[in-house]
Amino acid sequence: MANNSNVKLHIAMLPWFAFGHLIPFLELAKLIASKGHKITFISTPKNINHLPKIPQPLTPFITFIKLNLPKLQNLPENAESTRDLPSNKVKYLKIAYDHLKEPVVDILNTLSPNWIIYDFTTYWLGPLAAEHGIKTAYFSVFPAMALGYVGSPETLMHGDDEQRSLDDQDFVKKPKWVSFESQVKPSGFQLTKATEYAIADDENVSDFYRLGAAIQGSDVVIVRSCFGFEPEWLNLLKQLYKKPVIPAGLLPAVDNPDGNADWLETKKWLDMHEKGSVVYIAFGTETKPSQYELTQLALGLETSLLPFYWVLIDQRGSLDEVVELPSGFEERTRGRGVVCRGWAPQFKIVSHDSVGVLLIHSGMSSVVEGFQLGKPLVLLPLLFDQGLIASYLVEKKMAYIVRRDDVDGSFTPESVADSLSLVMASEEGKMYRDKAKEMMCLFGDRNVQDKCLNELLHFLQMSCKK
């Protein structure tokens, strides 16, 4: 094939309607657009309106197409992303998403992009795009270890020969296809929680089947990762998938210069505290702690006596049950703690010198943001994929995890307080503070990101016809 490295691509992108997916897709879109390629970004009106603004120099290269979701009986009106819904209603968003098949194909017919980059939910897209001569890439916002743990496309779609299932405790044992030493695994309680919405029913296709079919139907798999972070797992994916697997880089966050009106007030509060003394707590836009988890966490923060800034999601959509802080908690911690129930400028807050530790759920975007800014991590994973990421970070001694009962997930306020104190100030926790500074060289290195992006674009270009 001739050298196509100067070919300007047109790439369509269709992420899952969750902001933990929409934002990494948008970050990748901006990076690709910065190299002069054209992006068509497809989502719903409400989701697109809530995305961060595109930098002015990139606006000529990124076009947004808004698709309206069909009305479904069990899908609340105006629910267009997972943050609009309690977890038991998310399957109806997936069913509505599947109804977009025809309008998506119409868009592809009209635009004829070189590639479409899609998400795990769009398991039906690969064969349809191929029929129209459009190359396909599955982009995983999950790192390679989370993908490698659950196996090949065939295993995801049909089970392995041992017929393990999510409700089988053998699922927490190292899979037979992982030939190297690894401590990556979910906890039993995370496995139990996963069965609540990941298994198929009469209405909906399972998440595992969607993922397997999305991988199987793609020409290439793109992963939010890099070889400096998880080389063994990336190499394993190539063996499992029998197709190209290309890391897109870690997609480090970029500060939004516009900020928001509340930032000056937040900064004033942060400025009052000593360097490295504040705990920042956030669990992403998709993850809401249960009432039990919220109570234990709040009491742990109170016990720790540390200053904290907590971005709290206590309800997902109007139909969701509100979780409540312990009675009197905000009054007792007033002055040394802030509870923010709205949007917060996370990058600006975490960048501040007074923030010494992040207490997070192990979502990949939060992990990347913490490490690119050199902040040590205390992990409280709540869901299946978060448990896999957390176990890898603990195995590599990159982060510390709050101790929980493996079966029922119970934990004490003291375990929260002790974990924060250890990582923030103790001699025993110095290794995590040092490791976070070391990780800045990988997670925040724009040269590493640029190298991954250039290799990805080279592959996409060289795969196009002359």
Side-chain angles (χ1 to χ4, degrees):
M1 186 177 286
N3 187 338
N4 286 352
S5 60
N6 294 321
V7 171
K8 292 305 178 186
L9 299 169
H10 178 192
I11 299 172
M13 301 184 83
L14 180 59
W16 166 228
F17 299 157
F19 277 82
H21 294 243
L22 286 156
I23 298 299
F25 266 76
L26 184 63
E27 289 303 314
L28 182 59
K30 290 191 294 186
L31 289 171
I32 293 172
S34 72
K35 302 292 185 178
H37 302 284
K38 181 181 176 183
I39 299 290
T40 297
F41 197 98
I42 306 166
S43 192
T44 68
K46 185 176 174 182
N47 289 338
I48 289 172
N49 292 341
H50 281 112
L51 289 172
K53 289 182 180 177
I54 299 295
Q56 189 62 39
L58 300 183
T59 54
F61 299 98
I62 302 178
T63 301
F64 292 97
I65 291 185
K66 298 177 179 180
L67 290 181
N68 292 311
L69 280 174
K71 294 187 183 300
L72 294 183
Q73 182 178 354
N74 293 303
L75 185 66
E77 195 169 350
N78 299 321
E80 296 184 14
S81 76
T82 56
R83 71 179 184 184
D84 300 326
L85 293 161
S87 57
N88 65 346
K89 295 284 185 182
V90 168
K91 74 172 185 177
Y92 298 111
L93 185 63
K94 290 173 185 164
I95 294 167
Y97 189 94
D98 291 340
H99 281 79
L100 296 176
K101 189 182 301 185
E102 190 172 320
V104 167
V105 170
D106 287 344
I107 289 169
L108 297 181
N109 276 336
T110 303
L111 299 179
S112 296
N114 304 106
W115 286 87
I116 181 162
I117 299 177
Y118 60 88
D119 215 326
F120 82 99
T121 39
T122 326
Y123 70 102
W124 37 263
L125 186 55
L128 291 175
E131 287 176 13
H132 296 86
I134 297 165
K135 293 189 174 292
T136 54
Y138 162 60
F139 173 40
S140 172
V141 303
F142 307 108
M145 100 283 294
L147 294 175
Y149 188 88
V150 293
S152 68
E154 295 75 22
T155 296
L156 286 160
M157 295 165 72
H158 308 298
D160 59 23
D161 53 16
E162 296 173 3
Q163 294 300 307
R164 295 188 315 162
S165 63
L166 271 176
D167 54 2
D168 184 346
Q169 285 304 307
D170 281 344
F171 206 90
V172 300
K173 296 178 181 176
K174 189 179 82 165
K176 62 185 179 185
W177 51 83
V178 179
S179 59
F180 47 87
E181 286 302 312
S182 172
Q183 297 171 26
V184 169
K185 65 173 186 175
S187 294
F189 70 90
Q190 292 156 354
L191 206 58
T192 301
K193 193 175 286 190
T195 63
E196 295 174 8
Y197 54 88
I199 290 178
D201 56 30
D202 292 339
E203 298 173 289
N204 186 35
V205 177
S206 77
D207 285 357
F208 277 14
Y209 188 91
R210 287 176 184 272
L211 175 58
I215 294 165
Q216 190 175 71
S218 67
D219 294 303
V220 60
V221 172
I222 303 169
V223 185
R224 183 184 190 175
S225 189
C226 69
F227 278 100
F229 177 51
E230 46 173 359
E232 310 99 329
W233 289 98
L234 283 164
N235 287 326
L236 174 63
L237 292 190
K238 293 180 180 180
Q239 299 168 23
L240 290 173
Y241 297 169
K242 299 179 174 59
K243 65 179 61 183
V245 175
I246 303 177
L250 293 161
L251 308 181
V254 179
D255 188 18
N256 177 6
D258 295 336
N260 76 328
D262 297 328
W263 165 239
L264 291 179
E265 199 62 35
T266 301
K267 183 178 184 299
K268 191 182 299 183
W269 184 87
L270 292 167
D271 287 344
M272 292 165 49
H273 295 86
E274 294 180 8
K275 181 177 180 179
S277 66
V278 174
V279 179
Y280 178 78
I281 308 105
F283 292 91
T285 56
E286 316 304 323
T287 308
K288 189 192 84 172
S290 68
Q291 183 60 66
Y292 170 81
E293 290 165 336
L294 182 71
T295 299
Q296 300 301 91
L297 179 54
L299 294 176
L301 287 171
E302 189 172 350
T303 301
S304 75
L305 301 180
L306 295 168
F308 63 86
Y309 192 101
W310 187 355
V311 181
L312 173 61
I313 293 178
D314 54 10
Q315 186 180 31
R316 283 175 40 166
S318 59
L319 298 183
D320 195 17
E321 182 179 341
V322 179
V323 289
E324 298 180 348
L325 291 167
S327 177
F329 170 81
E330 290 182 83
E331 289 74 20
R332 295 192 299 273
T333 59
R334 196 177 305 282
R336 77 169 172 94
V338 172
V339 178
C340 171
R341 289 179 170 82
W343 182 84
Q346 180 163 301
F347 191 89
K348 291 181 183 295
I349 295 171
V350 176
S351 301
H352 197 279
D353 280 347
S354 69
V355 174
V357 167
L358 308 191
L359 174 55
I360 59 172
H361 59 312
S362 312
M364 198 59 191
S365 291
S366 295
V367 170
V368 170
E369 205 159 319
F371 279 148
Q372 79 174 97
L373 296 169
K375 306 292 182 172
L377 308 181
V378 173
L379 309 176
L380 188 68
L382 306 180
L383 302 178
F384 179 80
D385 59 289
Q386 298 163 12
L388 297 175
I389 295 169
S391 62
Y392 182 75
L393 297 177
V394 170
E395 175 190 337
K396 298 299 181 182
K397 296 181 170 52
M398 294 167 69
Y400 190 81
I401 193 167
V402 176
R403 302 301 174 196
R404 304 183 67 170
D405 184 274
D406 193 66
V407 176
D408 65 13
S410 59
F411 62 102
T412 64
E414 289 73 23
S415 66
V416 174
D418 291 347
S419 299
L420 293 173
S421 298
L422 182 147
V423 173
M424 180 170 280
S426 79
E427 184 60 31
E428 187 183 348
K430 184 176 182 296
M431 61 182 288
Y432 300 107
R433 300 192 292 277
D434 291 344
K435 194 70 172 178
K437 294 289 189 291
E438 180 187 327
M439 286 298 101
M440 288 180 73
C441 300
L442 175 64
F443 283 72
D445 191 331
R446 293 288 162 182
N447 292 325
V448 171
Q449 178 58 64
D450 210 41
K451 181 174 184 293
C452 289
L453 179 67
N454 288 337
E455 289 174 358
L456 170 61
L457 288 173
H458 179 73
F459 176 88
L460 298 179
Q461 289 169 318
M462 297 305 290
S463 298
C464 288
K465 294 179 180 178
K466 293 181 184 179

